[in-house]
Amino acid sequence: MNARIFQRPKNAMQSGKALLDQWVLQFVPAEAKKPDPLMGWAGSGDMNQQVQLKFPSCEAARAYAERYGIDAVVHPTPPRRLKLQAYADNFR
């Protein structure tokens, strides 16, 4: 089983910093999704796609992956870039 470990990114609609300190272990899809013949919804037989495990730190997520033999790749958090703007910039 392959998985990826990443820190939850901040949503564009989110002003606060709640849940940004959590690390998520998410399994990589084992098979491609295919449309259901009756309803046309996309789905697959891989149940691990529905699992998302949350951890307080990256080390805890790595320890869990090692304990259960999961090949996990850690994706580091990209640095946040602030774009400082002033209202007066609209009238230059």
Side-chain angles (χ1 to χ4, degrees):
M1 277 190 288
N2 294 333
R4 66 184 189 123
I5 298 172
F6 62 96
Q7 195 170 15
R8 182 182 302 236
K10 184 178 170 186
N11 188 347
M13 300 297 293
Q14 180 180 2
S15 62
K17 294 182 180 177
L19 304 177
L20 292 182
D21 56 344
Q22 288 185 347
W23 287 81
V24 178
L25 186 139
Q26 188 176 44
F27 292 99
V28 176
E31 62 182 53
K33 291 186 177 184
K34 53 187 180 285
D36 182 54
L38 181 62
M39 298 298 289
W41 295 339
S44 70
D46 184 21
M47 297 299 286
N48 285 336
Q49 287 182 355
Q50 300 175 10
V51 177
Q52 255 191 4
L53 302 174
K54 298 174 184 86
F55 296 93
S57 66
C58 181
E59 291 78 24
R62 282 186 195 170
Y64 179 87
E66 286 180 13
R67 188 178 328 131
Y68 290 102
I70 300 169
D71 297 327
V73 177
V74 178
H75 296 278
T77 306
R80 289 192 203 140
R81 287 176 258 130
L82 296 176
K83 185 177 178 184
L84 301 176
Q85 290 181 326
Y87 183 68
D89 293 341
N90 293 333
F91 302 103
R92 287 190 182 180

